[in-house]
Every structure is written in C-alpha cells, then in structure tokens.
Amino acid sequence: MNEVTFEWRPFLKRWSEEWADACDPEEDFPDETALRERWLGFTPASPARIAAAEERLGCRFPPSYRAFLEVSDGWRNAGGFVSLLAGTAQARWYEDEAGFGALYREDLGEDSSPEEIAQVGMWSRALQLDVESDATYILMDPQDVSGDGEWAVYCHKVWAAAPPERYESFRAYMEAMYREFHCLRTHVYGDKEFVNATTRALDAVAEEAWRVALGGDYAQARTALLEPDAFGRPRAGTLLWQIQLMLGEAAYSRGGSHVSAAVRAQEFPPPPEAGASGDGTYSAHALLIGPFRRSKPFFRYTAPGPFGVAVEEAREQARWGDTDAAWRTIIAALPQWQPLANDHLTPFGLLEDSLLGPLVTAERKRELLAVPRGPEAVPGPSPVASALDPGGLAWLADRQAGGLAAGYRFVLVEGADPAELPGRIGADEEAVLHQPMTQWDVDNMRHSRGESSSYDDKPVVSVGRSAAGWSFAFDGEARGFDQERFVSPVGAASLGTRAVVVWSSRAEPSSPSVFHLSVAENGAEQYAFTARKAEIVRSGHIPPALNPDLFFAHAGSGEAWVSGERRALEAITAEFGVSLPRYALSSHCRLHRFRTRSWTRPPRSGETYTVVRWGDRTVHWRQGVADV
C-alpha cells in the first residue's frame, strides 16, 4: 500500500467515465453538470478543510482516505449499495447506534480469537463514512491500524445476514467497490456487452490465461484469472470455475451462468424431469453432485472426436474393474480433446460420469489439468497416467485401507469372460448380470428382497476382469465362516477350466479368524485348506508353495494372523498370476453385479433356522424340521 505511487485522480476519473458510459443518464447520474463532466465525485477538499474535520473528530485521517479527500471531498455511487460516501463534512463517529456490537458480543465465547473480540469493540469506536446507502454501513476502525498507518474499513450489509467484510484500508475498500461496480453492471447487462478500456484489458488477460491453461500451466492461469473474475468478467469466471472445480475449490453446481450452450449440453448431466422430486423449480444440478452421487440418475459422458472414442473405451474397461487402464486410456487421448468454445477448458463432465467419475481422484484432476490439450497440445509420447492399484492380492490383508473390515471372499475363473460367471455360479432363480452398481445400490436391492435365511447365503458380488486372463466375482462383506455348512462354488465355477475360491474372515466375539482356499479344475476340486486359529483342515494334493503351514501354523491371532494372511495371498498371486483391483472394489466405483448361488448348504433334518420377512414389515421365526 503506497499512497505516493497510487494516483487517485486517474483512478476516480476512469471510474466516473465508465459509470457514465454504462448508466441510464436520467436515472443513475446525479445531475446534468456531473454527467457533462463525467465525474462522480466532488471538488477537492482543501488542506484547511481536511484539518478542520480532523480537529472536529479529534483524529488524523489515515493516509489513503486523506489522499482521497485531496482529490474528491466525498463520492457518489461507491459500488452498488452506497449512493453517497462521506467527505470532510459528513464523516462522524458511529458509536454503535444500531446496537450491532451488543449482538456480536453475545456470540463471543472462551474460544473467541483476539481478532473477534477486537471487532466487537469496533462498533462503538468506528468512523462512519456511509451517508446514503441501502442498509449498508461503511466503518473505519482507528484501532485496527496497519504498519503504514492505514485504518481497516468494515463494510456491513445488514440484509446480507453475515459479519462485516474487512478491507485493509480505505483505498482497498474503494478498489473493491470499483470491482463491485463492474460486477453489477455486467450482471445488469446480461447478454448485452458491457465494454470499456478496463473490460477489454481484462478480457485479454482471460484470453491469454485460457491458452496458458490449455498448455497445462493451470496454476499460472488460475492466478491470472483472479482479477478478471473479481471484475465479473463472464468468460474469466467460467474458466476459473473449471480450474477450481478440478482443484476441489468449487462446487459442480456453481457451473457459471455464462457457460456457452454447447459446453453446458456436453459437460452437464441433463436436469431431472420436472416433478421428479415434487418441485420442478430447483436448481437442475444441485441434486446431481457430491454426496448425492449415489442416488442420482445414471449419466454417460460423451465427447466428439478421438477423445470421445477413448472415453467409450475407458468406460468399457472401468465397468469390468480395470480402472487404471481406463485412466491411462483417457490421459493418452486427452491431447486430442478439443474445446467447444473459448470458455471451455477441460472435459469436466467426466467428473459426473457414473462409471468414470469415481476414477478422477484429486491427484488425477491435477494430472488432467497439466496435460497440454486442444490447440495447445504438443506432439510427442502420450502423457504418463497415475495408477491406484498395487496389483496382486496382498492388499486384501489391509482391511482398513480396503474397507473390508468384515471379511471378503472371491471366485477367480481362468479364461472365462466376466459375463459368463452368472451362468456358472449365479443363483438359479436369478442368474443375471446386473448393470454396473455401487455398494449403496446393492444394499438397497438386498433390503428390497422379501426373505433371507441364516442357511441361505447368496451374496450380490462384484464381477470383472483380473490379470492374466482370469475373471473374478468378489464379495467384500463376507462374515463368519462355518466349516460345517460351507459349500464352495469352486466346482461349478471351474467347468471346462480352472477356478480358485478364497474366503477370509477376521475374529469376532463368536468366532475366530478363518482363511479358506479351494482350487478346482473342470468341475472337480483338486485341493483345499481351511485355517482356523492353529487348526488347519486340508484335502487333496496342495502345492508346496501353498502349504498352509507356511502361513498359519503358528499364526494364532492378531498381527501374526494378518502377516500369515498376507503371505498366503502373495503365494496365491504368484501361483496363478492373479490380481484384484483394489480401487474398483473399495471405492464408490460401479461394477456389474450378480447374485450367486448359496455358499451354505440347506439345513439337515432336525436343524433349526430363521426366516426373516421385511417386505410387509413383519418378522417370522420358524424352527424345527424344514427344507429350504
């Protein structure tokens, strides 16, 4: 803040001229003389007049306000809500006439900061500068002083229902009001262009920032766009919003009202049908984002040209669980992406794609922004895409990272397409492959079923492609393992090929930790083992590399068991060359699902079981001899 180098007269003259060009002379300008002279201010205050005002108030004005008075003794239309700002004659002490200090004092507590406490006192000691306003107070605090003697200015808009906005000096406040004038005039003009030397200079900055951002330097572009956006330049705001969206600094629903129609049609999901929520007047996108993702309609992002082709390829990879390959496909094709208009910076609609959106993590958003694309693309090798999956199976042992605290089980089938798995191990009455679903969707489907049984264990599993030509069916909510009732699906899964089944459950109050492996070929089980505490039950000829004694003979419980589980998973990975996609299985990714046949045998004569029906909100308990 340097009042020696800052020239008030050119600044105020430019503001006045731009106001005159933008206003309706009959309604907005103070008088004919002012309009003719294109001046919103007044004659300068003489040194004697300034000194007299300071003597009347018992203080010396801060430097920037004093310098302002030397150019104009007051100001008309300071922003959009103060029609007259005080000069030497109107400035006066406020003394909290409206009682705001008492209201804010009630909010103080033990955790209040020194700044909050000091601000409460501001109301009774501030110098008031607003003379005519729309319920807006402009107050200068003589005790909130910077090192160069400037007083902080507080702007309190009563109707805003928010604390006062602080500016570090009178000059900072006036510069903000100049920006506010531009913002409001741009809003008033709507589709009509609001143009002057200032707007042309700011729009040139936005043009250069657009090209810089397309070239991958999003940090420089973001910095450059801040000033044009503060002046309300529509294109700058739209471009800045896209960068901020990808950096997690803005909400998808903000969207920018000035986004061109072509960009909006491509990058935004269609609005809900009118009346779908009982009200067709709400924001079309407010319910389609963030925490509402799991309940929103399915959205399929599309784009023209080679990038659009790559998006379709990536979607095919993602729906079968190969999320890393999907991301590599997108990044490799991103240089070929083309903006639809000069307010289009990035394919941000990917964030809302039901299959691809969950792949775009915070790190990957920055990665996407950094790739030169469109007219700024550079020839050369494809950009390097980040990976989220560690490969193999050992990650399953880390229950917290994988979100698998209850346990897990899976079936791996060699050489089979994932779409074949429902026909191999699907429940007889519903051996169908569902469209990609989240776990939340699965939970809803589970609760909509009319009946479950303690002897009827038919999980809804995720299905996809594993490494080395295998397919998988995975259940991440498997609980207690019962050796007496367990029926491995490995035989049915292996018809005409090989299959592997793994079931792991951690210790619970009613049962210890269990790890089961079974392997079959062409419908016949080849070998299996079940480790339960230090007890190991085995069958068939187990390869030396999978000998359960290597993992669980001395495992016991706790960390020793987890270590054994991890080594067993590593051995299974090495033996069969298989892998499971951690990110796709432990996030909100959508994968195809199907319900398997029961992993538990029917009850024998004399055994008891429970049937729970909740479709009609009643519960029935049955005991005795029964067939399920």
Side-chain angles (χ1 to χ4, degrees):
M1 187 66 61
N2 189 335
E3 292 308 320
V4 175
T5 58
F6 182 75
E7 297 184 7
W8 277 99
R9 180 166 291 281
F11 169 69
L12 298 177
K13 184 65 174 175
R14 181 171 69 252
W15 186 347
S16 298
E17 291 172 346
E18 291 172 350
W19 179 280
D21 289 339
C23 77
D24 181 337
E26 295 183 357
E27 296 182 5
D28 293 336
F29 228 78
D31 54 53
E32 183 178 347
T33 301
L35 176 59
R36 185 173 60 254
E37 296 178 355
R38 307 175 76 82
W39 182 245
L40 285 172
F42 299 88
T43 57
S46 65
R49 190 176 179 87
I50 294 174
E54 291 176 329
E55 182 177 359
R56 172 175 61 85
L57 296 168
C59 67
R60 179 175 175 81
F61 293 141
S64 62
Y65 183 56
R66 213 171 196 279
F68 162 77
L69 294 173
E70 292 171 353
V71 175
S72 178
D73 194 5
W75 191 253
R76 303 178 180 95
N77 298 307
F81 307 100
V82 178
S83 54
L84 183 58
L85 198 67
T88 53
Q90 300 95 350
R92 64 189 182 90
W93 296 114
Y94 176 58
E95 297 179 349
D96 199 14
E97 297 166 355
F100 291 113
L103 292 175
Y104 281 96
R105 192 173 294 109
E106 293 176 359
D107 294 333
L108 294 178
E110 295 180 357
D111 298 332
S112 298
S113 66
E115 292 77 11
E116 291 172 328
I117 296 172
Q119 190 178 114
V120 168
M122 178 270 298
W123 296 100
S124 59
R125 62 173 180 261
L127 191 67
Q128 184 175 4
L129 298 185
D130 59 280
V131 179
E132 298 175 7
S133 71
D134 180 7
T136 300
Y137 293 84
I138 308 302
L139 307 171
M140 282 201 305
D141 187 355
Q143 290 189 21
D144 190 349
V145 184
S146 65
D148 54 3
E150 292 291 351
W151 299 6
V153 173
Y154 289 85
C155 176
H156 182 53
K157 298 172 181 176
V158 179
W159 39 266
E165 188 168 359
R166 181 184 181 277
Y167 302 91
E168 62 181 14
S169 69
F170 178 77
R171 170 184 162 185
Y173 163 74
M174 288 293 279
E175 289 177 320
M177 293 306 99
Y178 176 57
R179 293 190 294 269
E180 184 175 89
F181 148 65
H182 271 266
C183 286
L184 293 174
R185 283 294 164 174
T186 298
H187 177 72
V188 168
Y189 270 55
D191 294 334
K192 182 181 177 182
E193 198 169 9
F194 172 48
V195 178
N196 53 49
T198 299
T199 63
R200 285 191 288 270
L202 293 170
D203 290 346
V205 171
E207 169 69 19
E208 178 61 21
W210 178 59
R211 297 194 176 279
V212 168
L214 288 174
D217 194 345
Y218 61 88
Q220 179 182 336
R222 179 187 180 279
T223 300
L225 288 167
L226 290 174
E227 184 179 18
D229 179 57
F231 276 80
R233 302 312 299 154
R235 183 187 181 194
T238 299
L239 296 175
L240 181 61
W241 169 77
Q242 291 174 62
I243 297 175
Q244 292 175 331
L245 175 68
M246 302 303 284
L247 295 178
E249 300 172 353
Y252 197 95
S253 56
R254 177 175 176 247
S257 59
H258 298 284
V259 174
S260 59
V263 176
R264 180 169 292 279
Q266 176 173 295
E267 302 295 337
F268 281 90
E273 294 182 5
S277 67
D279 180 6
T281 62
Y282 61 83
S283 168
H285 309 296
L287 299 181
L288 299 179
I289 58 173
F292 301 98
R293 174 185 296 280
R294 59 190 184 184
S295 60
K296 71 180 184 181
F298 193 90
F299 173 55
R300 184 187 186 97
Y301 176 75
T302 60
F307 182 72
V309 174
V311 167
E312 293 303 312
E313 180 183 349
R315 183 177 289 107
E316 181 68 16
Q317 294 165 323
R319 75 186 182 105
W320 297 116
D322 199 349
T323 55
D324 280 352
W327 185 245
R328 286 194 297 271
T329 298
I330 290 172
I331 288 298
L334 189 57
Q336 297 175 286
W337 174 84
Q338 294 294 328
L340 298 179
N342 67 2
D343 63 349
H344 199 192
L345 194 55
T346 179
F348 59 88
L350 280 172
L351 303 185
E352 292 301 297
D353 185 278
S354 299
L355 284 175
L356 301 177
L359 277 59
V360 194
T361 62
E363 178 184 354
R364 284 175 166 176
K365 290 174 185 176
R366 293 189 292 272
E367 185 178 335
L368 188 152
L369 283 174
V371 174
R373 54 201 178 276
E376 300 301 316
V378 294
S382 299
V384 178
S386 60
L388 295 176
D389 284 328
L393 303 173
W395 64 267
L396 290 162
D398 187 356
R399 300 293 174 86
Q400 293 304 114
L404 306 169
Y408 59 86
R409 54 187 166 181
F410 58 86
V411 182
L412 294 166
V413 183
E414 186 177 24
D417 189 270
E420 298 176 19
L421 298 193
R424 290 175 176 268
I425 59 174
D428 293 337
E429 68 276 16
E430 50 177 319
V432 296
L433 190 67
H434 295 286
Q435 288 300 310
M437 307 166 68
T438 64
Q439 186 57 45
W440 188 83
D441 298 325
V442 173
D443 293 340
N444 266 357
M445 184 173 70
R446 181 184 296 122
H447 287 295
S448 68
R449 287 176 61 87
E451 182 176 297
S452 72
S453 168
S454 61
Y455 282 97
D456 189 18
D457 181 14
K458 298 179 179 179
V460 177
V461 295
S462 305
V463 62
R465 292 191 176 92
S466 178
W470 294 68
S471 293
F472 68 82
F474 183 87
D475 174 25
E477 296 189 336
R479 293 190 178 273
F481 178 91
D482 189 331
Q483 182 70 42
E484 290 298 317
R485 295 187 290 166
F486 171 61
V487 177
S488 176
V490 71
S494 69
L495 290 174
T497 182
R498 276 194 306 174
V500 176
V501 165
V502 171
W503 186 333
S504 176
S505 62
R506 292 280 172 87
E508 297 180 358
S510 60
S511 61
S513 297
V514 175
F515 188 92
H516 169 86
L517 167 70
S518 51
V519 178
E521 187 169 350
N522 199 24
E525 185 174 283
Q526 302 297 299
Y527 56 88
F529 72 78
T530 302
R532 183 186 182 95
K533 285 190 174 180
E535 176 188 1
I536 301 176
V537 177
R538 65 192 83 201
S539 63
H541 180 68
I542 302 175
L546 297 178
N547 184 349
D549 292 335
L550 297 173
F551 321 121
F552 301 107
H554 306 287
S557 59
E559 288 300 318
W561 181 272
V562 175
S563 177
E565 177 187 3
R566 181 175 290 106
R567 285 183 281 113
L569 292 167
E570 290 171 345
I572 295 170
T573 299
E575 182 74 13
F576 301 102
V578 292
S579 180
L580 286 173
R582 178 174 67 182
Y583 188 74
L585 292 172
S586 59
S587 71
H588 295 294
C589 291
R590 293 177 184 262
L591 293 176
H592 287 285
R593 313 270 181 151
F594 72 93
R595 189 181 297 279
T596 74
R597 62 190 63 176
S598 181
W599 293 53
T600 303
R601 64 165 174 77
R604 299 191 180 103
S605 178
E607 292 182 332
T608 62
Y609 66 98
T610 302
V611 175
V612 181
R613 305 177 189 275
W614 57 79
D616 55 359
R617 299 191 179 277
T618 61
V619 179
H620 303 278
W621 300 88
R622 298 178 56 194
Q623 293 184 337
V625 179
D627 294 320
V628 175

